[in-house]
Amino acid sequence: MKATDSHALQRERMVRDLAERRGLKDARVLEAMRRVQRHLFVKDHLRTQAYGEHALPIAGGQTISQPWVVGRMSELLELAPEHSVLEIGTGSGYQTAILALLAKRVFSLERVADLAHQAIRRIREMGLVNV
């Protein structure tokens, strides 16, 4: 988390809610969700809504899944650091970034070119080299 991260408190509340009210238990998944800045994966005008428990529209008529869905899917995978993951439907790259913090390698495919280019940029900006 960067010192200049103005969304850190919102993200911490989201993670706490996922654990306490929504039942996510995997500490690695919760920590990954704490580290990935979800607001960077949504449209600028929706950033204030990024940590709410709802899906948000992204490019190509697609949506970024609500945080609980991302967390639960990640938890159900039971990923270990030596695992590789194939993700179909990169979307904004948010789930991809979470998976990259949990697995050794992530292969992700996206059919909407605009989404793919944006996700690649975000993943590179985060310094994730295992995607």
Side-chain angles (χ1 to χ4, degrees):
M1 222 176 323
K2 295 179 182 176
T4 59
D5 179 5
S6 62
H7 293 83
L9 185 58
Q10 291 174 305
R11 191 166 47 261
E12 186 57 38
R13 281 188 200 130
M14 176 193 76
V15 171
R16 193 173 331 121
D17 182 67
L18 291 172
E20 294 173 3
R21 291 193 32 218
R22 306 287 282 170
L24 293 186
K25 300 195 180 331
D26 188 315
R28 291 182 66 234
V29 170
L30 292 167
E31 181 56 28
M33 294 186 79
R34 183 175 283 115
R35 288 181 53 198
V36 177
Q37 298 180 28
R38 189 170 190 261
H39 65 276
L40 300 177
F41 293 85
V42 301
K43 296 177 181 181
D44 289 345
H45 71 281
L46 296 173
R47 286 189 171 186
T48 59
Q49 300 174 48
Y51 296 98
E53 190 50 46
H54 45 263
L56 293 170
I58 55 176
Q62 305 297 311
T63 60
I64 181 175
S65 297
Q66 63 197 68
W68 182 81
V69 171
V70 172
R72 186 67 179 134
M73 287 191 305
S74 299
E75 197 171 67
L76 289 169
L77 288 171
E78 298 180 359
L79 292 173
E82 67 274 8
H83 287 160
S84 293
V85 178
L86 172 61
E87 176 187 43
I88 307 297
T90 310
S92 68
Y94 178 67
Q95 175 82 66
T96 312
I98 301 291
L99 295 173
L101 295 176
L102 299 170
K104 180 177 183 178
R105 209 169 332 177
V106 178
F107 299 92
S108 188
L109 302 172
E110 177 53 58
R111 66 181 179 82
V112 179
D114 187 41
L115 285 173
H117 295 300
Q118 290 176 31
I120 289 167
R121 178 184 49 78
R122 288 181 187 111
I123 296 297
R124 286 182 179 157
E125 286 173 356
M126 290 183 67
L128 297 172
V129 297
N130 60 334
V131 177

